[in-house]
Amino acid sequence: MQNSRVLITGGAGFIGSELVRQLVAKGIKQVIVVDNLVNGRRENLQDLPVDQVKLVVADIRDVEQMTNLMLDVDIVFHLACLGVRHSIHSPHENHEVNATATLNLLSAAKATGVNRFVYVSSSEVYGTAKWVPMKEEHPTFPMTVYGASKLAGECYTRAFYETYGYPTVVVRPFNSYGPRCHHEGDSGEVIPKFLLRCMAGKPMIIFGDGTQTRDFTYVSDTARAIMMAGFADSAVGQTINLGSGFEIAINDLAQEIASIVGQADVEIIHEAPRPGDVLRLYAETTKARQLLGFKPEITLREGLMKLKDWYLTSEEYPETLLKHEIVRNWDLSEIKL
Ligand SMILES: NC(=O)c1ccc[n+]([C@@H]2O[C@H](COP(=O)([O-])OP(=O)(O)OC[C@H]3O[C@@H](n4cnc5c(N)ncnc54)[C@H](O)[C@@H]3O)[C@@H](O)[C@H]2O)c1
């Protein structure tokens, strides 16, 4: 690892910046981060050594620039994407970034002689679980354009391995949370939104009846598993779930957060379901353990407490951070077709 040069797309984002941090801690020679900062932040990388980490503000859709950046790179970790709520109002742009750009990046990586391409997909490719826990062979039935475009990206990635023998890996993280996660705008996710609202004494808002479930992984675990996928030879050509193997309903998550924040009587409001919401996700994690030697280290309760502490050390109060929250962070009134 000490001699490797890696390129991370989306490396200024939530999971990407944690991956950069972990690679630096392992003594990686150089990390090139490519991010257009549409949802990522320069500040996410600000404490990292400039001789090891170089941020290039660029769009992954720029084929020429991406090809030039890949010269002399050993591994590409491809994380840049536009999210699930974005896909509801802007399906075409979501597809361009998540699917088309992935195909172009694969071509560029192969042409420039990059040794390995790790595609960070998503559990959203499965849609609602038909049975649990969900093995990698579980049918894929995405319910949003985000899930569909992530699935297209992973199919292109797998096809490069099957057709050209190009060494690729597909990992499918289930929901991740932790420092630098998004509470704001259309990237806002359930755990940071619930936690900040609870800390600010505001009601937690659940879309749907709250019986929908997720499998949450703390970000240091998610990023460590992605890093392992870049270096374990047994991962090449494989598709691997990255989850905790622990399922929780959103109603129970709200109660857990209320107990951690010490706001047992906080109000919980149920509103109409989000369009395309997946109702059940619960990972089977054996393959990650066998191929990567990966086992999550942080339980949900520990992770929620860590995130709460991280917010407490933040320079901004929960009330201030929540000014950037969009409660219903999708928009069906202005679909860009
Ligand atoms: N967060 C989760 O719970 C979760 C779960 C499953 C899978 N994933 C996957 O993990 C990866 C990272 O997700 P995240 O949660 O860190 O999201 P994020 O939005 O924080 O990171 C994505 C980054 O990509 C950048 N980006 C978007 N469009 C770009 C473009 N055209 N050119 C260059 N950069 C661009 C954004 O600025 C952002 O920094 C994604 O591929 C996502 O599908 C995330």
Side-chain angles (χ1 to χ4, degrees):
M1 196 181 291
Q2 276 80 2
N3 292 322
S4 300
R5 292 185 83 230
V6 308
L7 184 147
I8 305 183
T9 72
F14 160 49
I15 299 174
S17 59
E18 174 64 22
L19 176 61
V20 177
R21 237 174 217 91
Q22 294 199 14
L23 286 162
V24 166
K26 291 273 180 200
I28 193 93
K29 191 170 173 193
Q30 183 153 52
V31 183
I32 302 166
V33 170
V34 180
D35 201 301
N36 67 356
L37 304 180
V38 64
N39 293 316
R41 303 174 72 213
R42 246 177 228 285
E43 300 79 59
N44 286 349
L45 302 170
Q46 72 187 359
D47 51 328
L48 295 168
V50 284
D51 55 327
Q52 271 171 293
V53 181
K54 180 178 163 200
L55 169 63
V56 180
V57 179
D59 196 304
I60 57 162
R61 287 169 286 187
D62 184 337
V63 176
E64 197 182 335
Q65 189 170 11
M66 291 309 299
T67 307
N68 287 334
L69 286 167
M70 282 188 207
L71 297 169
D72 291 331
V73 161
D74 300 301
I75 307 172
V76 168
F77 291 94
H78 176 32
L79 285 83
C81 81
L82 292 170
V84 61
R85 263 71 57 177
H86 172 275
S87 79
I88 298 173
H89 58 73
S90 302
H92 288 267
E93 188 188 26
N94 203 265
H95 171 87
E96 261 172 42
V97 171
N98 298 358
T100 309
T102 297
L103 178 58
N104 291 336
L105 288 176
L106 283 159
S107 298
K110 183 174 177 303
T112 51
V114 173
N115 295 329
R116 189 175 299 192
F117 189 100
V118 179
Y119 178 67
V120 178
S121 181
S122 166
S123 57
E124 289 284 315
V125 301
Y126 290 119
T128 294
K130 297 185 193 308
W131 52 79
V132 293
M134 303 164 84
K135 284 190 171 178
E136 289 77 359
E137 291 76 24
H138 183 285
T140 48
F141 199 89
M143 293 163 75
T144 54
V145 167
Y146 169 78
S149 63
K150 293 297 289 184
L151 181 58
E154 71 166 69
C155 290
Y156 290 138
T157 306
R158 210 174 295 116
F160 263 61
Y161 173 74
E162 298 293 341
T163 311
Y164 309 118
Y166 182 62
T168 66
V169 186
V170 173
V171 289
R172 288 181 180 152
F174 283 58
N175 293 65
S176 195
Y177 67 101
R180 292 171 282 276
C181 57
H182 299 279
H183 60 277
E184 79 290 355
D186 68 9
S187 296
E189 295 284 351
V190 61
I191 287 183
K193 289 172 112 191
F194 277 12
L195 198 46
L196 285 171
R197 284 187 151 262
C198 208
M199 290 168 81
K202 294 176 89 173
M204 290 186 268
I205 301 170
I206 296 177
F207 298 103
D209 66 6
T211 59
Q212 64 269 47
T213 70
R214 292 294 184 270
D215 177 322
F216 292 102
T217 313
Y218 195 69
V219 67
S220 56
D221 282 328
T222 309
R224 184 163 47 87
I226 295 171
M227 178 170 69
M228 287 166 149
F231 293 93
D233 287 340
S234 50
V236 171
Q238 300 289 334
T239 300
I240 307 169
N241 283 342
L242 305 180
S244 69
F246 173 73
E247 180 186 30
I248 187 166
I250 299 303
N251 284 331
D252 296 334
L253 175 71
Q255 295 296 346
E256 184 76 349
I257 288 178
S259 121
I260 279 165
V261 176
Q263 295 265 21
D265 54 354
V266 69
E267 192 183 356
I268 296 174
I269 299 171
H270 288 86
E271 289 196 356
R274 194 186 80 213
D277 199 13
V278 168
L279 298 182
R280 190 169 194 195
L281 286 173
Y282 168 20
E284 156 67 51
T285 58
T286 308
K287 201 169 174 186
R289 194 166 58 247
Q290 287 175 343
L291 294 184
L292 306 177
F294 169 69
K295 199 167 167 288
E297 287 173 352
I298 301 190
T299 65
L300 181 60
R301 193 166 175 90
E302 285 165 352
L304 292 173
M305 290 195 293
K306 276 169 165 290
L307 183 57
K308 184 191 82 172
D309 291 345
W310 187 76
Y311 282 130
L312 287 174
T313 60
S314 158
E315 283 167 14
E316 293 184 283
Y317 290 111
E319 294 80 353
T320 317
L321 291 170
L322 283 169
K323 288 193 182 134
H324 306 289
E325 183 200 23
I326 301 176
V327 177
R328 281 170 58 91
N329 57 355
W330 63 88
D331 189 357
L332 285 177
S333 64
E334 273 187 45
I335 302 177
K336 296 175 192 140
L337 293 171

